[in-house]
Amino acid sequence: MTAVTATSLAAAPEPRLWSNQVRGFALDSLQDQEALSVVAIPLNGPGIEQYVNADQLMSPGSIMKVLTTYAALELLGPNYRWETRFLTDGVLEGDRLKGNLYVRFSGDPKLTIERTWAVVRELRGMGIRHIEGDLILDASVFILPDGIPGFDDNGSNRYAPFLVEPSAVLTNLNLLHLQVRSDERGTQAWSTPAIESVAIDNRVTAAAEGPCPARSDFTWTPAFHDDGRVTVKVTGELPAGCRSTTYLSLIPHEQYSAELIRSLWKETGGTFTGNWRKAITPDDARLLASTSSPDLVTMVRDINKWSSNVMARQLLLAIGAEKRKDDDNDDRVSGIQAIYHWLEQKGITTAGMVIDNGSGLSRHERMSARQMSQILQHAWNSPYGSDLVTSMPLIAMDGTMTRRLRNTGMDGLGRIKTGYLQDVRSVAGFSRDNQNTTWAVVGIVNHDPAWNGQAVLDKVLHSLHYTPPLGTALSQAD
């Protein structure tokens, strides 16, 4: 940290009790000073470190992803990739594959429909049209004997994208993109991908041209059948030329991935004679094709910019699978232990810290603002620090900060990871003040209700930019 010079002190305004301002924000908006924890530390210029309730263990929300992604960059390396392999135990005869098609999954956080389609096209390009065997999903990359601890969401939509759980066989984030459009023919509804077991019951009525309605004006209601099929009824009124969309996760990962692959194969003119099932790929299976993910840096950017829970949870499992010891039998636990060990090697205290799934989508995860600030300080000096910093949303410009602190003159002057959970609001990242000093800043609100918490944290960021604590040690908090 750069020392405060005599020149900077002379040029500074009157001493500001900045930490008292922060406490005032909490008291005014939350009526509870203890509901807010804040740490602000100057990294490359003058300033006085600030601590408000810094050692109070808090539910961090999605700023936990900062820890998971930073740990992954150092433990796995920025060029780490996931490879999904398509193999067979059969033989090729003309345009027929006489045998099973195995998909050995790698736990790829972002095996998209586009990448899956590219592999299908490659197989078709090899002259294969008919597969006379089963589609077999190999999920052996992860060891999870007790499954994944669930998250008790008390919201109104348990099929929402943010609730998708991790899986070795995750494809396309396990999401269905449901759309309905109105034109001169009436209304048409469809799903991408076109999953065989999902049907849409379109009850949307066409209307004359006019302003397009909001998504909230439409209701998508799934009905689940005993045979594993799902019917989604959509209702509403849609003017000509308009469309409405939603994303839902409706079927288990294995069923989704199998039906996605079979659907793409069918769309390219291929046929399958067998069914799908889960099994281990035999040792003598031959490789036909594969797809490799973008590098970890790209994945980290997607996770932090848009706060993807399932991708962060996949990342924790990947750390566990890579760092698993001979006597380990649960990759989630192995990933957590690897991160704790890594933190302790850096001298960051883990006392009281609880890592549950690495995404912040948890009622159990705990961390203090001081602990997160230490993580940010180490990241600032890490060889991969720039990769982490650039993965965070820019204030008022992109990601989850797109609409925050607009019209304040702070556009692009901070890279802030946000957190949002019931009774939790949080921020963590790097913000530049009006003297061009970059600060590591952490703010966590735990309060029932926390709906004012976002405004409080925006005030903290605004104050740190325009009235940074530069004056004297009087502005140092306890």
Side-chain angles (χ1 to χ4, degrees):
M1 181 185 70
T2 304
V4 179
T5 64
T7 302
S8 67
L9 284 173
E14 293 183 17
R16 303 182 185 92
L17 299 179
W18 190 84
S19 59
N20 286 345
Q21 290 182 19
V22 170
R23 288 189 173 91
F25 297 155
L27 192 59
D28 291 343
S29 298
L30 304 171
Q31 288 76 54
D32 183 0
Q33 292 184 359
E34 301 303 314
L36 174 67
S37 293
V38 171
V39 173
I41 300 172
L43 297 172
N44 58 1
I48 306 293
E49 296 181 4
Q50 300 294 299
Y51 300 91
V52 176
N53 297 328
D55 295 307
Q56 187 169 325
L57 291 171
M58 309 282 275
S59 176
S62 284
I63 64 172
M64 181 63 78
K65 295 181 178 74
V66 174
L67 170 58
T68 305
T69 52
Y70 174 33
L73 286 168
E74 291 210 346
L75 292 173
L76 302 179
N79 201 41
Y80 184 86
R81 298 172 189 267
W82 290 258
E83 185 178 26
T84 304
R85 297 159 65 88
F86 290 68
L87 309 98
T88 186
D89 57 2
V91 295
L92 295 171
E93 293 183 3
D95 63 356
R96 298 179 182 274
L97 171 59
K98 295 188 174 182
N100 299 314
L101 178 65
Y102 292 84
V103 184
R104 183 182 290 162
F105 288 88
S106 59
D108 189 338
K110 200 174 181 183
L111 180 56
T112 62
I113 186 174
E114 293 82 6
R115 285 175 50 210
T116 308
W117 178 88
V119 177
V120 168
R121 284 299 311 162
E122 185 176 351
L123 294 174
R124 289 287 286 114
M126 294 165 56
I128 303 172
R129 182 176 181 184
H130 307 289
I131 298 178
E132 298 178 357
D134 290 339
L135 173 63
I136 300 178
L137 311 182
D138 185 341
S140 60
V141 62
F142 293 147
I143 299 176
L144 296 167
D146 300 321
I148 298 291
F151 173 73
D152 179 21
D153 177 60
N154 56 359
S156 59
N157 185 4
R158 57 190 175 127
Y159 315 112
F162 78 95
L163 293 174
V164 174
E165 294 189 345
S167 169
V169 300
L170 180 73
T171 55
N172 208 49
L173 303 178
N174 206 58
L175 294 178
L176 294 165
H177 185 196
L178 305 172
Q179 303 184 64
V180 60
R181 186 181 186 276
S182 178
D183 56 30
E184 62 273 16
R185 301 167 298 172
T187 64
Q188 289 76 39
W190 69 98
S191 169
T192 305
I195 297 295
E196 182 180 1
S197 62
V198 177
I200 300 178
D201 179 9
N202 179 17
R203 303 291 183 91
V204 176
T205 58
E209 290 188 9
C212 294
R215 290 186 182 185
S216 57
D217 291 339
F218 297 84
T219 302
W220 302 80
T221 307
F224 298 88
H225 309 294
D226 293 338
D227 61 357
R229 302 179 69 84
V230 183
T231 301
V232 183
K233 182 172 72 173
V234 55
T235 59
E237 187 175 272
L238 195 61
C242 295
R243 76 172 64 200
S244 186
T245 72
T246 192
Y247 288 88
L248 297 175
S249 178
L250 297 174
I251 58 178
H253 293 77
E254 294 86 355
Q255 181 182 352
Y256 181 98
S257 296
E259 293 196 20
L260 169 61
I261 294 169
R262 290 171 65 94
S263 172
L264 294 175
W265 186 253
K266 182 178 179 180
E267 287 178 7
T268 58
T271 65
F272 251 113
T273 62
N275 296 313
W276 70 267
R277 55 191 170 90
K278 288 177 62 178
I280 304 296
T281 306
D283 293 338
D284 60 352
R286 296 179 295 118
L287 179 66
L288 293 174
S290 65
T291 176
S292 182
S293 75
D295 60 27
L296 180 59
V297 171
T298 303
M299 296 291 200
V300 165
R301 185 182 188 278
D302 284 347
I303 291 171
N304 285 334
K305 286 285 188 185
W306 303 107
S307 203
S308 174
N309 292 317
V310 67
M311 290 181 69
R313 296 174 74 178
Q314 293 282 121
L315 195 53
L316 178 67
L317 296 180
I319 294 172
E322 290 290 339
K323 301 300 179 181
R324 178 196 307 152
K325 298 177 181 178
D326 292 340
D327 56 349
D328 287 350
N329 62 1
D330 188 313
D331 285 341
R332 184 184 70 91
V333 176
S334 296
I336 293 170
Q337 290 175 341
I339 293 177
Y340 280 141
H341 180 66
W342 169 79
L343 288 170
E344 289 161 1
Q345 285 184 316
K346 291 181 175 295
I348 298 174
T349 177
T350 59
M353 183 187 296
V354 178
I355 304 172
D356 181 20
N357 59 38
S359 73
L361 187 70
S362 169
R363 308 293 184 201
H364 307 294
E365 289 189 317
R366 291 293 183 272
M367 179 184 291
S368 71
R370 188 188 301 272
Q371 288 169 328
M372 177 55 75
S373 71
Q374 292 173 343
I375 291 166
L376 292 174
Q377 286 178 281
H378 278 274
W380 182 256
N381 294 303
S382 167
Y384 311 129
S386 59
D387 297 316
L388 181 70
V389 172
T390 55
S391 76
M392 297 183 184
L394 283 159
I395 289 177
M397 293 185 71
D398 70 4
T400 57
M401 287 294 294
T402 301
R403 293 180 175 83
R404 292 179 65 169
L405 291 166
R406 284 183 171 181
N407 304 315
T408 63
M410 294 178 62
D411 296 25
L413 295 180
R415 292 185 176 271
I416 303 295
K417 179 73 194 77
T418 62
Y420 184 100
L421 194 63
Q422 181 187 6
D423 301 335
V424 177
R425 301 293 185 272
S426 56
V427 293
F430 304 91
S431 183
R432 182 178 298 183
D433 68 23
N434 58 4
Q435 306 297 314
N436 285 327
T437 294
T438 297
W439 295 71
V441 58
V442 181
I444 306 174
V445 170
N446 283 186
H447 188 263
D448 180 14
W451 60 272
N452 269 343
Q454 178 173 310
V456 172
L457 296 174
D458 284 353
K459 286 181 180 180
V460 170
L461 294 172
H462 186 275
S463 174
L464 185 61
H465 176 77
Y466 285 106
T467 58
L470 303 175
T472 72
L474 290 174
S475 61
Q476 170 80 36
D478 291 337

